[in-house]
Amino acid sequence: MAGESVISEELNKLLNVEFGPEVYEIEKGMLKKFAEAIEDPNPRWLEEAPPTFPASLVPKELLNKLFNADIPLKRLLNGSSELEYFVPIKAGDVISVTAKLTRLRQVAGAEGPTLFMFTEMTYTNQRGEVAVKGKNTYIKY
Amino acid sequence: MAGQVYYEDIEAGSEIPALVKYPTTMQLVKYAGASGDYYQIHYDKDFAIANGLPGVIVHGWLTLSFLGQMVTDWLGEKGTLLKLNGSYRGMNKVHEDIICNGKVTKKYTEEDRNLARVEIWAENPQGEKTVTGTVVVTLPSRA
């Protein structure tokens, strides 16, 4: 048994609400900085985004609400990430990120309740093409 | 990097070249800055320990980035990455090797495209799988 619910009304109200778009101009310097941070020397990443670059296009409004929600679970971990690629993200693109919380699931963990928060993101370029779709699961425990 | 890999070169069970990374605290700080993920468990040891962790731990996304590098190095210029996913099952600590591995589980054609599904995983020096996932890729044909 998961015990008492840690899922607050505040969190429940976020379900399936679309946040954004938050707009990111993809500058060459951002790509370079990201490639340097992951230490991937492939010169391709000077012009094009490496696979995990969408992690840096953060849907801040939704994540701030999820991470700062007033619930008894304070510790946070990333559970899983999933990306699907349609059109490469390149230097000069303007990417609009929308995000929503799609599911909340509470389970009984070894140290007490654990809350899984499932999110979905869409990254759309300046031509209106969906460049990338993402899913991420966050764990509060 | 080896030469371009082609669809004809692989079969289920083919392993892709492993990649070993050695993240430092400095790299985690750089990744925090580049990604905007400033959660303190990735650079503040006291905070990490107070949160019940063994010390500073590597961002799951950073380990997944290493796996992404392994895959795009293997794909070369003519292969493309269609899907990438990873589950964060264990923690990678700083100043330890992260060993990235991949193995083709399936090759198939769909709508004239040559596709492969590849199981990917990262291990710590103890041989524990810390990130497991899959990628779906297209590969060029020699035909």
Short mmCIF file of all heavy atoms in Angstrom, two decimals, chain A residues 66-94:
data_model
loop_
_atom_site.label_atom_id
_atom_site.label_comp_id
_atom_site.label_asym_id
_atom_site.label_seq_id
_atom_site.Cartn_x
_atom_site.Cartn_y
_atom_site.Cartn_z
N LEU A 66 6.45 21.85 -10.53
CA LEU A 66 6.56 20.46 -10.07
C LEU A 66 7.58 20.31 -8.94
O LEU A 66 7.33 19.64 -7.95
CB LEU A 66 7.00 19.55 -11.23
CG LEU A 66 5.99 19.36 -12.37
CD1 LEU A 66 6.58 18.40 -13.40
CD2 LEU A 66 4.66 18.82 -11.85
N PHE A 67 8.73 20.96 -9.12
CA PHE A 67 9.82 20.76 -8.16
C PHE A 67 9.55 21.49 -6.85
O PHE A 67 10.06 21.09 -5.81
CB PHE A 67 11.16 21.21 -8.75
CG PHE A 67 11.59 20.42 -9.97
CD1 PHE A 67 12.61 20.88 -10.79
CD2 PHE A 67 10.96 19.23 -10.31
CE1 PHE A 67 13.01 20.16 -11.91
CE2 PHE A 67 11.35 18.50 -11.43
CZ PHE A 67 12.38 18.97 -12.23
N ASN A 68 8.81 22.59 -6.91
CA ASN A 68 8.57 23.39 -5.71
C ASN A 68 7.19 23.16 -5.10
O ASN A 68 6.80 23.88 -4.19
CB ASN A 68 8.76 24.88 -6.02
CG ASN A 68 10.17 25.16 -6.51
OD1 ASN A 68 11.13 24.57 -6.02
ND2 ASN A 68 10.31 26.03 -7.49
N ALA A 69 6.48 22.17 -5.60
CA ALA A 69 5.14 21.91 -5.06
C ALA A 69 5.26 21.60 -3.57
O ALA A 69 6.21 20.95 -3.13
CB ALA A 69 4.51 20.73 -5.80
N ASP A 70 4.29 22.08 -2.82
CA ASP A 70 4.30 21.91 -1.37
C ASP A 70 3.78 20.52 -1.02
O ASP A 70 2.61 20.34 -0.69
CB ASP A 70 3.45 23.02 -0.73
CG ASP A 70 3.54 22.98 0.79
OD1 ASP A 70 4.51 22.38 1.30
OD2 ASP A 70 2.64 23.53 1.44
N ILE A 71 4.66 19.52 -1.11
CA ILE A 71 4.31 18.15 -0.73
C ILE A 71 5.38 17.65 0.23
O ILE A 71 6.47 18.21 0.32
CB ILE A 71 4.20 17.21 -1.97
CG1 ILE A 71 5.53 17.11 -2.72
CG2 ILE A 71 3.10 17.69 -2.91
CD1 ILE A 71 5.55 16.03 -3.78
N PRO A 72 5.05 16.58 1.00
CA PRO A 72 6.00 16.13 2.02
C PRO A 72 7.30 15.54 1.46
O PRO A 72 8.26 15.35 2.21
CB PRO A 72 5.23 15.06 2.80
CG PRO A 72 3.88 14.97 2.23
CD PRO A 72 3.78 15.85 1.04
N LEU A 73 7.34 15.22 0.19
CA LEU A 73 8.54 14.60 -0.39
C LEU A 73 9.43 15.70 -0.94
O LEU A 73 9.04 16.45 -1.83
CB LEU A 73 8.16 13.63 -1.51
CG LEU A 73 7.07 12.61 -1.16
CD1 LEU A 73 6.76 11.73 -2.35
CD2 LEU A 73 7.49 11.78 0.03
N LYS A 74 10.65 15.79 -0.42
CA LYS A 74 11.52 16.91 -0.78
C LYS A 74 12.65 16.51 -1.72
O LYS A 74 13.23 17.35 -2.39
CB LYS A 74 12.12 17.54 0.48
CG LYS A 74 11.07 18.16 1.40
CD LYS A 74 10.26 19.25 0.70
CE LYS A 74 9.11 19.74 1.56
NZ LYS A 74 8.05 20.37 0.76
N ARG A 75 13.00 15.23 -1.71
CA ARG A 75 14.16 14.84 -2.53
C ARG A 75 13.71 14.49 -3.95
O ARG A 75 12.62 13.97 -4.16
CB ARG A 75 14.87 13.64 -1.87
CG ARG A 75 15.50 14.05 -0.54
CD ARG A 75 16.23 12.91 0.12
NE ARG A 75 15.30 11.85 0.53
CZ ARG A 75 15.71 10.70 1.08
NH1 ARG A 75 16.98 10.47 1.28
NH2 ARG A 75 14.82 9.79 1.42
N LEU A 76 14.60 14.80 -4.89
CA LEU A 76 14.23 14.69 -6.30
C LEU A 76 15.31 13.92 -7.06
O LEU A 76 16.49 14.13 -6.84
CB LEU A 76 14.13 16.12 -6.87
CG LEU A 76 13.91 16.28 -8.36
CD1 LEU A 76 12.50 15.86 -8.75
CD2 LEU A 76 14.16 17.74 -8.77
N LEU A 77 14.88 13.04 -7.96
CA LEU A 77 15.80 12.40 -8.89
C LEU A 77 15.16 12.36 -10.26
O LEU A 77 13.93 12.39 -10.39
CB LEU A 77 16.11 10.96 -8.45
CG LEU A 77 17.04 10.74 -7.26
CD1 LEU A 77 17.09 9.26 -6.89
CD2 LEU A 77 18.45 11.25 -7.56
N ASN A 78 16.00 12.27 -11.27
CA ASN A 78 15.49 12.08 -12.62
C ASN A 78 15.30 10.58 -12.82
O ASN A 78 16.18 9.78 -12.51
CB ASN A 78 16.52 12.63 -13.63
CG ASN A 78 15.92 12.87 -14.98
OD1 ASN A 78 14.78 12.46 -15.25
ND2 ASN A 78 16.67 13.50 -15.85
N GLY A 79 14.13 10.19 -13.31
CA GLY A 79 13.82 8.76 -13.46
C GLY A 79 14.15 8.20 -14.83
O GLY A 79 14.76 7.14 -14.95
N SER A 80 13.71 8.91 -15.85
CA SER A 80 13.97 8.44 -17.22
C SER A 80 13.74 9.57 -18.20
O SER A 80 13.04 10.55 -17.89
CB SER A 80 13.06 7.26 -17.57
OG SER A 80 11.71 7.68 -17.59
N SER A 81 14.36 9.42 -19.37
CA SER A 81 14.23 10.42 -20.43
C SER A 81 14.03 9.70 -21.75
O SER A 81 14.56 8.61 -21.96
CB SER A 81 15.50 11.27 -20.54
OG SER A 81 15.81 11.84 -19.29
N GLU A 82 13.28 10.35 -22.62
CA GLU A 82 12.99 9.74 -23.91
C GLU A 82 12.90 10.87 -24.94
O GLU A 82 12.25 11.88 -24.68
CB GLU A 82 11.64 9.03 -23.79
CG GLU A 82 11.26 8.18 -24.96
CD GLU A 82 9.94 7.45 -24.70
OE1 GLU A 82 9.67 7.05 -23.53
OE2 GLU A 82 9.17 7.31 -25.65
N LEU A 83 13.57 10.71 -26.05
CA LEU A 83 13.52 11.74 -27.10
C LEU A 83 13.25 11.08 -28.44
O LEU A 83 13.79 10.00 -28.73
CB LEU A 83 14.85 12.51 -27.16
CG LEU A 83 15.17 13.37 -25.93
CD1 LEU A 83 16.63 13.79 -25.93
CD2 LEU A 83 14.26 14.60 -25.88
N GLU A 84 12.43 11.74 -29.23
CA GLU A 84 12.17 11.28 -30.60
C GLU A 84 12.47 12.44 -31.53
O GLU A 84 11.98 13.55 -31.32
CB GLU A 84 10.71 10.81 -30.73
CG GLU A 84 10.43 10.18 -32.06
CD GLU A 84 9.05 9.54 -32.15
OE1 GLU A 84 8.26 9.66 -31.18
OE2 GLU A 84 8.76 8.96 -33.20
N TYR A 85 13.27 12.15 -32.57
CA TYR A 85 13.80 13.21 -33.43
C TYR A 85 13.09 13.23 -34.78
O TYR A 85 12.98 12.20 -35.43
CB TYR A 85 15.30 12.99 -33.65
CG TYR A 85 16.06 12.85 -32.34
CD1 TYR A 85 16.33 11.60 -31.81
CD2 TYR A 85 16.44 13.98 -31.63
CE1 TYR A 85 16.99 11.47 -30.59
CE2 TYR A 85 17.11 13.86 -30.42
CZ TYR A 85 17.38 12.60 -29.90
OH TYR A 85 18.04 12.48 -28.70
N PHE A 86 12.66 14.41 -35.19
CA PHE A 86 11.98 14.56 -36.47
C PHE A 86 12.76 15.44 -37.43
O PHE A 86 12.94 15.10 -38.59
CB PHE A 86 10.57 15.11 -36.25
CG PHE A 86 9.72 14.22 -35.39
CD1 PHE A 86 9.61 14.45 -34.03
CD2 PHE A 86 9.06 13.13 -35.94
CE1 PHE A 86 8.86 13.61 -33.22
CE2 PHE A 86 8.30 12.28 -35.14
CZ PHE A 86 8.20 12.53 -33.78
N VAL A 87 13.19 16.59 -36.95
CA VAL A 87 13.96 17.54 -37.76
C VAL A 87 15.16 17.98 -36.91
O VAL A 87 14.98 18.32 -35.74
CB VAL A 87 13.09 18.79 -38.11
CG1 VAL A 87 13.89 19.78 -38.96
CG2 VAL A 87 11.81 18.38 -38.83
N PRO A 88 16.38 17.96 -37.47
CA PRO A 88 17.52 18.37 -36.65
C PRO A 88 17.37 19.81 -36.14
O PRO A 88 16.86 20.67 -36.85
CB PRO A 88 18.71 18.27 -37.61
CG PRO A 88 18.26 17.36 -38.70
CD PRO A 88 16.77 17.55 -38.82
N ILE A 89 17.81 20.05 -34.91
CA ILE A 89 17.88 21.41 -34.37
C ILE A 89 19.24 21.97 -34.74
O ILE A 89 20.27 21.35 -34.48
CB ILE A 89 17.69 21.40 -32.84
CG1 ILE A 89 16.28 20.90 -32.49
CG2 ILE A 89 17.95 22.79 -32.26
CD1 ILE A 89 16.02 20.78 -30.99
N LYS A 90 19.24 23.13 -35.39
CA LYS A 90 20.49 23.71 -35.88
C LYS A 90 20.69 25.12 -35.35
O LYS A 90 19.72 25.78 -34.92
CB LYS A 90 20.49 23.73 -37.41
CG LYS A 90 20.46 22.33 -37.98
CD LYS A 90 20.81 22.28 -39.43
CE LYS A 90 21.11 20.84 -39.82
NZ LYS A 90 21.11 20.60 -41.24
N ALA A 91 21.94 25.57 -35.40
CA ALA A 91 22.25 26.94 -35.01
C ALA A 91 21.40 27.88 -35.85
O ALA A 91 21.24 27.69 -37.06
CB ALA A 91 23.73 27.22 -35.23
N GLY A 92 20.83 28.88 -35.21
CA GLY A 92 19.96 29.82 -35.91
C GLY A 92 18.47 29.51 -35.75
O GLY A 92 17.62 30.36 -36.01
N ASP A 93 18.17 28.29 -35.33
CA ASP A 93 16.76 27.93 -35.11
C ASP A 93 16.19 28.67 -33.90
O ASP A 93 16.94 29.07 -33.00
CB ASP A 93 16.62 26.42 -34.85
CG ASP A 93 16.66 25.60 -36.13
OD1 ASP A 93 16.66 26.19 -37.23
OD2 ASP A 93 16.69 24.35 -36.02
N VAL A 94 14.89 28.82 -33.92
CA VAL A 94 14.17 29.34 -32.76
C VAL A 94 13.21 28.24 -32.32
O VAL A 94 12.32 27.86 -33.08
CB VAL A 94 13.41 30.64 -33.09
CG1 VAL A 94 12.67 31.15 -31.86
CG2 VAL A 94 14.37 31.70 -33.62
#
